[in-house]
């Protein structure tokens, strides 16, 4: 729900899960002011989601297939190269399916720098606690400051206020690093990051913005696909 990736494919197969200790990522952005209040932040999108919510903004990132594979150590080094970034957003795909490696990544970053972390999940907080979809979910939640939970519901799409895709989703403040109410009041921003032959939209766009983006891509015959920033 927080980035757009299109190249004409939308296949779901649960056949690929990354090896232990490896992160399988859809995309990363080093600096953005979208997807979180205040500080400039980095965003990490995870590859693979079994929920297949109708109207999902990033359908290609649902597929369980090898994508950008890295270790928690290498991802932490990538994040820490920019001394001005003190905030991080995890999205996807579904971050909690790679909880164990994701939690290790966050621990490594926090050994070197104080950061705030927002995590988007298609599972509810209750599901993550009572029936976690993967090993290490409880560990990951101890590293997350705000969880935005629940599946995207197209009929409840939220188009004007707060950092969530639909009104059923909740803001769960797990620590005091991010003040309560910040994400409900956060300004909705959309950024378009252009690469040589592709583009990625970062943010939660209104339907009119999304449609205009698709038309522009079709006119220029560009793909919105994974690339490292």
């Amino acid at each position: 729900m927080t980035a757009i990736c299109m190249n004409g494919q939308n296949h779901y197969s649960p056949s690929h899960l990354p090896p232990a200790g490896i992160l399988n990522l859809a995309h990363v952005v080093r600096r953005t002011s979208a997807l979180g209040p205040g500080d400039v932040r980095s965003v990490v999108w995870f590859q693979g989601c079994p929920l297949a919510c109708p109207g999902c903004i990033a359908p290609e990132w649902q597929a369980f297939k090898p994508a950008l594979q890295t270790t928690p150590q290498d991802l932490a080094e990538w994040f820490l190269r920019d001394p001005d970034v003190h905030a991080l957003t995890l999205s996807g795909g579904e971050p909690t399916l790679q909880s164990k490696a994701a939690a290790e990544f966050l621990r490594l970053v926090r050994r070197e720098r104080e950061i705030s972390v927002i995590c988007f999940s298609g599972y509810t907080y209750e599901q993550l606690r009572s029936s976690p979809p993967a090993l290490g979910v409880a560990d990951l939640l101890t590293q997350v400051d705000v969880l935005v939970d629940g599946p995207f519901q197209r009929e409840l799409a939220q188009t004007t206020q707060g950092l969530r895709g639909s009104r059923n989703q909740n803001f769960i403040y797990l620590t005091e690093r991010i003040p309560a109410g910040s994400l409900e009041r956060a300004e909705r921003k959309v950024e378009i990051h252009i690469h040589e032959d592709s583009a990625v939209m970062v943010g939660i766009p209104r339907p009119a913005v999304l449609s205009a983006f698709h038309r522009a891509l079709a006119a220029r015959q560009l793909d919105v696909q994974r690339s490292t920033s």
Side-chain angles (χ1 to χ4, degrees), residues 26 61 75 81 94 140 152 159 198:
W61 296 351
L75 188 61
R81 284 186 201 131
E94 176 54 50
L140 176 61
F152 174 70
T159 61
S198 63

Side-chain angles (χ1 to χ4, degrees), residues 18-40:
I22 298 295
L23 291 159
N24 190 40
L25 307 178
H27 194 75
V28 293
V29 167
R30 190 188 299 281
R31 293 176 69 96
T32 178
S33 60
L35 292 179
D39 298 316
V40 63

Side-chain angles (χ1 to χ4, degrees), residues 33-185:
S33 60
L35 292 179
D39 298 316
V40 63
R41 68 184 51 245
S42 293
V43 184
V44 176
W45 290 273
F46 292 73
Q47 182 72 38
C49 178
L51 301 178
C53 300
C56 173
I57 202 172
E60 185 186 294
W61 296 351
Q62 295 173 6
F64 286 87
K65 61 184 181 181
L68 173 62
Q69 298 196 334
T70 187
T71 65
Q73 293 80 6
D74 286 345
L75 188 61
E77 289 178 9
W78 169 84
F79 176 87
L80 291 166
R81 284 186 201 131
D82 191 328
D84 297 327
V85 180
H86 293 269
L88 180 67
T89 296
L90 310 180
S91 190
E94 176 54 50
T96 65
L97 296 182
Q98 300 183 50
S99 286
K100 192 171 182 180
E104 178 63 13
F105 157 60
L106 296 177
R107 272 194 297 272
L108 290 169
V109 169
R110 282 192 163 130
R111 287 178 187 174
E112 305 295 331
R113 184 179 304 171
E114 179 68 21
I115 62 167
S116 62
V117 178
I118 297 169
C119 180
F120 288 82
S121 174
Y123 297 100
T124 66
Y125 183 51
E126 290 74 17
Q127 288 173 322
L128 292 174
R129 294 190 63 184
S130 62
S131 302
L135 295 174
V137 170
D139 191 16
L140 176 61
L141 290 176
T142 66
Q143 299 291 329
V144 170
D145 300 303
V146 182
L147 176 73
V148 185
D149 81 337
F152 174 70
Q153 295 185 16
R154 185 162 46 191
E155 67 277 12
L156 297 177
Q158 179 68 42
T159 61
T160 60
Q161 184 179 6
L163 293 181
R164 59 182 178 179
S166 55
R167 292 189 300 275
N168 61 295
Q169 295 169 326
N170 302 295
F171 301 103
I172 313 295
Y173 291 85
L174 299 173
T175 76
E176 297 181 353
R177 285 192 183 94
I178 299 176
S182 296
L183 271 65
E184 291 89 333
R185 300 187 299 268

